[in-house]
Amino acid sequence: MAVAECARDSAEPAGPRPAGSVCDPGGWRRLTLEPAPGDAPSQFWAELGEAHRRDLEVYGLDQVKRHQALRYFTWGWRWGQLARSEQFRFLVRHTPPATLLRAARARTDLSDEGWRGVPWSRPDRWLYAFATRLIWEFARRCEGTAPVLRLPEPELGSPLPVRWEGRLISQDLANTALEVAAIVRALGGRVPASIVEVGVGYGRTAHALLALFPEVAYTVVDIEPALGIAEWYLTSLYPGRSLQFLSPAQAEALDARFDLAISISSLQEMTLEQVRSYLELFHRTTPGGRVYLKQWKSWRNPQDGITLTFDEYPIPSGWRLLFTQPAAIQTRFVEAAWRVPVPTEGRP
């Protein structure tokens, strides 16, 4: 695997960063690929984690946006499947004809070198770039998205070579802009000092929130190898920031308070008991704060034989709903936010 030069920080060891490793105060630590004891994931996540592990062994960390991201929230399109894509139909319906034409005519890098490691045909590469431009333009027309859209797409992780109006863009940054606009709405003008996120992927949402809130402390809860991937990505982008990376077993003992708790497209892949446990974690650690969820309305988990619907999530008693709405673009998703009550004296 390739060797990536490490970002310099006073806590980092000298020398190159070995691929598949993250930094801790004692030196480069080999990325853990297996779940920690006590972190029993759903069967779905066990199989997904195995796929991520294989990709890490073949491609290393510096290709996560071309492999693992495509199993998180980066969507691919194929000409042969386009008629079934609700997202694509949404984008075409909500894009002015002139913008459709500009996006179609924009120069696109379709070279094998530019798409190294992604085994798509050139027509499918073009379609991906075209759809990504439509997502970007939709997000740009929505209120509250500008702060995230102004952020550069990090080159870390080898993003796909989609350019628009002279800059590198991505689905992840555009979708994150929409989600962060909803999160800021839920915060109601509050600036969070601390955030916890469950199911962080490689760290796309955390990246945006860390950029927008420079003083925030960020805690990530996930299983391996996703946890190690996010640690590599976020500590590389934000050396010296207050970042904490916890396994589910470690999160059970978490004794902290957060202003904001987040989970995006992860709860539906768990068992109902795991969903309940994470919502109770949010309830316990976010008194007086906000919770933001974006999940499938209904999703069948074939590996575990479970169907979970958003309306059936065991929301803790006392949470005050701030808003719930269909997600834009991913029309089978729902996003919602709540205010978590502050416990009265003598009660949990």
Side-chain angles (χ1 to χ4, degrees), residues 62-63 66-67 111-119 125 158 160:
D62 60 348
Q63 296 286 313
R66 297 178 177 228
H67 298 282
S111 69
D112 291 343
E113 177 59 27
W115 295 76
R116 182 166 49 92
V118 182
R125 295 172 190 175
S158 301
L160 293 170

Side-chain angles (χ1 to χ4, degrees), residues 90-91 94-96 98-100 102-103 132-150 163-171 173-179 181 328-329:
F90 177 96
L91 290 168
H94 290 83
T95 303
T99 303
L100 287 170
R102 281 199 307 123
T132 298
R133 293 176 183 128
L134 300 190
I135 294 172
W136 190 270
E137 283 300 306
F138 177 85
R140 189 153 65 175
R141 293 192 299 273
C142 294
E143 185 178 356
T145 58
V148 174
L149 294 180
R150 283 195 292 266
R163 302 192 69 84
W164 182 235
E165 298 182 344
R167 61 161 293 180
L168 183 69
I169 65 169
S170 70
Q171 284 185 54
L173 205 53
N175 282 318
T176 299
L178 294 166
E179 293 154 2
I329 305 177

Side-chain angles (χ1 to χ4, degrees), residues 156-330:
L156 189 67
S158 301
L160 293 170
V162 181
R163 302 192 69 84
W164 182 235
E165 298 182 344
R167 61 161 293 180
L168 183 69
I169 65 169
S170 70
Q171 284 185 54
D172 281 348
L173 205 53
N175 282 318
T176 299
L178 294 166
E179 293 154 2
V180 169
I183 289 169
V184 169
R185 174 184 165 196
L187 288 170
R190 294 157 49 111
V191 175
S194 55
I195 299 173
V196 59
E197 183 178 2
V198 168
V200 72
Y202 69 82
R204 67 176 181 90
T205 307
H207 157 55
L209 290 170
L210 284 162
L212 295 186
F213 300 114
E215 303 302 320
V216 77
Y218 212 101
T219 295
V220 167
V221 180
D222 215 324
I223 63 170
E224 295 291 359
L227 187 65
I229 292 171
E231 183 174 354
W232 164 77
Y233 187 73
L234 296 173
T235 57
S236 297
L237 293 178
Y238 297 99
R241 292 287 295 273
S242 179
L243 303 171
Q244 183 174 211
F245 300 87
L246 302 178
S247 71
Q250 291 171 321
E252 288 181 6
L254 188 59
D255 183 19
R257 292 294 179 266
F258 301 101
D259 299 315
L260 174 64
I262 302 169
S263 176
I264 298 173
S265 190
S266 59
L267 298 183
Q268 75 276 344
E269 298 160 354
M270 304 178 188
T271 66
L272 183 60
E273 202 50 46
Q274 288 168 330
V275 173
R276 188 187 311 277
S277 176
Y278 282 119
L279 294 178
E280 289 175 353
L281 171 70
F282 289 172
H283 185 73
R284 176 171 60 84
T285 61
T286 320
R290 306 293 187 266
V291 173
Y292 171 81
L293 303 181
K294 179 179 177 181
Q295 313 289 335
W296 287 86
K297 294 176 185 176
S298 179
W299 192 71
R300 173 72 177 173
N301 174 346
Q303 284 85 345
D304 295 275
I306 298 170
T307 298
L308 289 181
T309 64
F310 192 89
D311 291 340
E312 293 173 346
Y313 286 168
I315 302 300
S317 175
W319 285 19
R320 183 168 68 84
L321 183 66
L322 300 175
F323 63 81
T324 181
Q325 60 196 26
I329 305 177
Q330 298 87 31

